[in-house]
Amino acid sequence: MPIKKEQPFFEHDMPYMKRAYELALQAFDAGEIPVGAVMVSPDGQIIGLGYNRTEIEQCQYAHAELFAVKSACAFKNDWRLEGCTLYVTLQPCMMCYGLLALSRVERIVYGAESPIYGFQIDTVSAHGVYTKHTKCISRGIMKEEIEFLLRNFFKKVRSSGQ
């Protein structure tokens, strides 16, 4: 069963994406790919935060989404994040989308597309467990600011010879 439909983002999404952007700036300052994520409960409370830490942790799993899910689960004392929304600055990868789907996150809102690593659930034949709980995906909120930050990060990395 595919995602019901893509949904536009709404004005009430903006404060949460701004918080995710602030986390992306923290990642940038730490020398990480600038991605930030915020998990929001159905009643609008921020229950999880994260930013990329792959260089700090020296492990590829250390994506912003993972830390937002982990802290939200600790907050709820439950692995089920039903009814929650994840705000993330960059389109989730396949690993992160799988985590969000299995955690039963209902909505994903992201800013910038990730043309290489971004996962499109509607482009594959996915088992129902990966499409059952995620009802909609919204994209493009704060896109220009996020793309500018990402371009600056990669420009900085290239100029440093890393």
Side-chain angles (χ1 to χ4, degrees):
M1 177 169 75
I3 303 297
K4 291 198 175 15
K5 71 176 207 174
E6 190 168 313
Q7 180 182 39
F9 59 85
F10 302 101
E11 195 58 38
H12 71 267
D13 292 324
M14 190 60 79
Y16 302 119
M17 188 56 83
K18 284 183 179 177
R19 182 66 179 111
Y21 183 78
E22 290 169 4
L23 292 163
L25 290 172
Q26 282 184 257
F28 182 95
D29 291 342
E32 298 281 350
I33 295 175
V35 179
V38 174
M39 187 68 70
V40 177
S41 70
D43 66 358
Q45 181 180 8
I46 293 176
I47 60 172
L49 301 172
Y51 62 87
N52 271 6
R53 298 174 49 94
T54 55
E55 297 297 333
I56 294 166
E57 300 282 333
Q58 285 298 293
C59 188
Q60 186 55 32
Y61 78 79
H63 290 193
E65 297 93 331
L66 173 118
F67 293 107
V69 166
K70 187 175 180 178
S71 59
C73 290
F75 179 89
K76 288 185 65 165
N77 197 31
D78 191 354
W79 62 267
R80 297 166 193 88
L81 299 175
E82 291 162 332
C84 290
T85 299
L86 179 83
Y87 294 85
V88 61
T89 55
L90 188 63
Q91 181 182 16
C93 69
M94 184 181 350
M95 174 185 73
C96 291
Y97 182 82
L99 172 66
L100 297 169
L102 293 174
S103 299
R104 302 182 179 178
V105 172
E106 186 171 302
R107 183 172 175 235
I108 300 168
V109 180
Y110 66 87
E113 301 278 333
S114 179
I116 297 173
Y117 297 108
F119 186 67
Q120 297 283 339
I121 190 66
D122 58 354
T123 63
V124 298
S125 178
H127 189 277
V129 73
Y130 290 99
T131 58
K132 182 177 180 180
H133 298 285
T134 304
K135 304 297 183 212
C136 64
I137 297 174
S138 302
R139 61 187 169 135
I141 186 169
M142 292 183 63
K143 179 182 179 201
E144 292 79 20
E145 299 94 318
I146 294 163
E147 287 177 344
F148 182 78
L149 180 64
L150 287 162
R151 277 193 305 275
N152 282 339
F153 174 79
F154 288 110
K155 186 177 179 181
K156 178 180 161 186
V157 167
R158 283 190 298 274
S159 70
S160 71
Q162 291 182 345

